[in-house]
Amino acid sequence: MGLWNVYFVCKLMLHHAGAIVLQPWMNLCLALALLLPLRSPAWRYARQSVAIAAAAALLYHESFLPPWRSLFSEAGALSGFSLDYLAELFTRIVDARLALWLFALVAAYLVLRRWLRVSAFVLLALVIVPVLPSPRSGGAASAAGSPSLAGATPDTMINDGERLTAATSDAELNRAVERFFAEEARRTLLFPRVTRDIDLILIHVCSLAWDDLRAIGEEHHPLLGRFDILYTHFNSAASYSGPAAIRLLRGTCGQTPHDALYDAAAPDCRLMDQLQQAGFRPQLLMNHDGHYGHFREDLERRGGLEAAPQPTTGARIAMQGFDGAPIAEDYDVLQRWWQHHVAAKETRVALYYNTISLHDGNRLADAAGGWRRNYPRRAHKLLDDIDHFLSDLEASHARAVVVFIPEHGAAFHAGPGQIAGLRQVPGPNVTDVPVGVRLVGLQVTPAPRPLRVDTSISYLGLNQLLASVMAAAESGRGNIDLAQLVAHQHVTPFVAENDGLMVVRAGDGYYTRGPDGHWSR
Ligand SMILES: [Zn+2]
């Protein structure tokens, strides 16, 4: 098989390291096709060409890279990316250590082939290795690390309601997923009618998970301490912007499978419709144009947010997006909107604000007039901006419920099976996001601030809290007892999806289902 041996040995090693999931039968077929004796040089040449294409496709399939279809649909086509961002992504995928290993392998092969029938060993290994237990786990589970806050180990404090199932066989996990979606399909929530003056402000932040906050040392940023309620295990259930926004905007129903996000939603599941019926006026605000990945279309067609975007003209441009488009400064956009809101004497507005300031590949202007990618600096600025905006709200004596909720994490750190910044595996390192709720101008029963909720919560639980707060504010009877409200919040076990990949919390850890339908730890 010549140099093809190196291809197979590399893959066996990657499989062993948990970076890919080897498909033994497909590899054996490829190896046997290469071993078939062919006389004609033309045929041999044709076979090599086909084999190279097949080998590349097979390796891609075995990797944890996002399926092509999702790469194109989410990325709004790679052609939209600026050239230097593409170059940066390439250097993250092809890492230098891997290239060195490959070089060493080729050298070893050239030496050994004089004395050994390398092909025979490779064929034998292809049959044996996949049936041996993998010493390291692959995919999201190991990439995830500890999703808890410092000091808390999630799997010792886990209650049974937070785990999909205790068993971890393929069959049991599949049954548990089916049961989960069947139960979730029955859950709906109704918002109470509101007549008092109060606004609801949802701040949907692209690319910020607990894992990212810890990685950049911002897990104690003053903004987080300022919330009345802080969720330490909120599952965004999605790792890309479009599905995350649809999930949030359909969050008055139970969790739906990823594919169903693109079907029509039942009327009760559309958060903005419900808020409208409750007496609110839906509004949309973004610090970008919403073209990327058909985001605006997802909001409107799938999320049911039909309002035209609020103008952001005149807002300060803070950075250049990964696709070259301008991105406005969060504080400036929000405070301009607020000033307009106050001047227009609007009330009962349900604002959905979307910010992509933290998206991978965005660049800040540096002192020298150039552009620099700097996630920690951008994240710090975003947290400061929201903090500043909250201060303005509090000083204005307005009544508003403000929800800070990231879409998904940034995957700032790469892990096995994860490329930094690409978030293809929806593990807890990407979908466990810091969600904070601040009640501005409302009377709250004193409790330590922030009141930390460590149980597994998702959109339905959050909306349940918001509906309860609205009902309490409407009744106008005394203080709102937040501790009591969070004690009755709906707990959702961890199930997160991306196109073709699913991660669940089961047994004593996290399990990933690949596109081939198999689960791995
Ligand atoms: Zn996003």
Side-chain angles (χ1 to χ4, degrees):
M1 288 194 291
L3 277 174
W4 280 104
N5 285 311
V6 175
Y7 168 80
F8 291 113
V9 172
C10 275
K11 282 186 27 177
L12 287 162
M13 288 173 65
L14 288 172
H15 172 78
H16 187 72
I20 64 170
V21 177
L22 196 78
Q23 303 287 320
W25 293 112
M26 292 193 196
N27 281 284
L28 268 177
C29 285
L30 179 63
L32 293 175
L34 287 162
L35 285 168
L36 218 65
L38 287 179
R39 290 252 174 92
S40 145
W43 276 110
R44 282 205 299 270
Y45 182 75
R47 175 171 66 185
Q48 283 295 349
S49 319
V50 174
I52 288 171
L58 182 56
L59 180 59
Y60 193 87
H61 172 68
E62 289 164 327
S63 74
F64 289 96
L65 288 170
W68 278 114
R69 140 176 102 97
S70 76
L71 201 63
F72 280 96
S73 60
E74 158 69 12
L78 285 171
S79 59
F81 288 7
S82 61
L83 247 176
D84 61 344
Y85 178 45
L86 279 177
E88 189 190 310
L89 281 179
F90 183 75
T91 58
R92 287 190 213 161
I93 295 171
V94 182
D95 104 73
R97 265 184 318 173
L98 203 69
L100 268 177
W101 266 107
L102 190 66
F103 181 77
L105 263 179
V106 174
Y109 167 74
L110 291 175
V111 175
L112 286 175
R113 68 173 180 166
R114 294 193 207 171
W115 300 289
L116 291 176
R117 288 287 304 254
V118 180
S119 302
F121 283 102
V122 167
L123 283 179
L124 194 65
L126 279 179
V127 176
I128 294 173
V129 169
V131 295
L132 296 175
S134 175
R136 279 179 58 192
S137 54
S142 57
S146 163
S148 67
L149 283 172
T153 43
D155 295 319
T156 52
M157 60 186 202
I158 187 168
N159 300 317
D160 255 354
E162 300 183 62
R163 179 165 57 180
L164 195 62
T165 166
T168 58
S169 67
D170 276 15
E172 182 49 42
L173 285 168
N174 285 332
R175 268 198 298 275
V177 167
E178 260 178 52
R179 260 197 321 267
F180 170 76
F181 285 125
E183 281 165 20
E184 288 295 296
R186 288 199 290 268
R187 303 187 200 282
T188 324
L189 174 99
L190 284 175
F191 265 85
R193 178 97 194 142
V194 176
T195 55
R196 290 174 181 249
D197 287 354
I198 189 166
D199 294 308
L200 173 62
I201 301 175
L202 302 172
I203 300 178
H204 211 197
V205 179
C206 187
S207 302
L208 186 73
W210 278 113
D211 204 56
D212 305 312
L213 279 178
R214 280 191 293 273
I216 60 173
E218 294 282 7
E219 71 270 43
H220 302 297
H221 188 282
L223 172 68
L224 302 178
R226 170 165 211 163
F227 292 125
D228 291 297
I229 301 173
L230 181 64
Y231 294 98
T232 59
H233 282 297
F234 184 95
N235 175 22
S236 73
S239 60
Y240 284 163
S241 304
I246 302 170
R247 286 191 183 283
L248 172 62
L249 292 171
R250 292 186 181 185
T252 46
C253 284
Q255 190 167 330
T256 43
H258 177 88
D259 289 339
L261 294 178
Y262 298 89
D263 301 336
D268 281 352
C269 300
R270 290 159 57 123
L271 173 66
M272 287 298 171
D273 283 5
Q274 277 226 26
L275 287 169
Q276 199 159 13
Q277 279 160 24
F280 289 89
R281 178 140 52 103
Q283 284 191 356
L284 165 65
L285 182 68
M286 300 181 286
N287 74 334
H288 55 100
D289 59 17
H291 291 332
Y292 159 68
H294 308 290
F295 187 72
R296 174 90 179 80
E297 216 176 294
D298 277 346
L299 294 181
E300 191 175 315
R301 302 237 310 258
R302 276 114 198 176
L305 175 51
E306 280 150 11
Q310 296 288 306
T312 55
T313 28
R316 206 172 80 79
I317 299 304
M319 57 188 103
Q320 199 182 59
F322 52 93
D323 55 355
I327 296 175
E329 187 198 69
D330 292 292
Y331 174 71
D332 207 23
V333 171
L334 284 168
Q335 71 96 23
R336 276 164 189 269
W337 169 79
W338 180 250
Q339 279 175 0
H340 172 264
H341 176 70
V342 172
K345 295 198 168 56
E346 293 171 337
T347 180
R348 285 192 301 284
V349 160
L351 178 77
Y352 171 86
Y353 171 61
N354 186 272
T355 166
I356 58 163
S357 299
L358 304 188
H359 194 289
D360 192 40
N362 290 348
R363 300 181 307 171
L364 282 163
D366 68 13
W371 295 92
R372 270 171 53 81
R373 294 199 176 88
N374 188 325
Y375 181 79
R377 218 176 95 199
R378 285 185 285 132
H380 187 78
K381 170 89 170 88
L382 173 102
L383 297 168
D384 280 356
D385 277 7
I386 306 300
D387 198 30
H388 192 177
F389 176 60
L390 275 182
S391 299
D392 287 2
L393 287 187
E394 278 161 18
S396 74
H397 306 293
R399 297 201 328 154
V401 176
V402 182
V403 182
F404 175 89
I405 174 167
E407 295 171 352
H408 51 74
F412 182 64
H413 271 327
Q418 285 270 29
I419 297 161
L422 277 197
R423 332 180 291 267
Q424 70 277 28
V425 185
N429 60 324
V430 176
T431 69
D432 239 353
V433 294
V435 172
V437 178
R438 177 86 180 105
L439 310 185
V440 179
L442 292 170
Q443 296 299 317
V444 176
T445 300
R449 186 190 284 172
L451 190 61
R452 280 172 45 147
V453 179
D454 294 326
T455 44
S456 183
I457 296 283
S458 201
Y459 303 100
L460 188 65
L462 175 67
N463 278 314
Q464 187 191 17
L465 175 95
L466 297 179
S468 307
V469 167
M470 292 301 175
E474 181 69 8
S475 79
R477 283 195 301 266
N479 291 352
I480 302 175
D481 189 349
L482 290 178
Q484 203 202 345
L485 294 187
V486 300
H488 295 105
Q489 252 182 303
H490 178 62
V491 172
T492 307
F494 185 99
V495 175
E497 286 180 272
N498 191 7
D499 206 3
L501 289 171
M502 178 184 278
V503 179
V504 303
R505 191 181 205 179
D508 58 355
Y510 291 89
Y511 288 77
T512 306
R513 184 167 72 184
D516 62 354
H518 285 299
W519 292 89
S520 59
R521 176 79 199 264

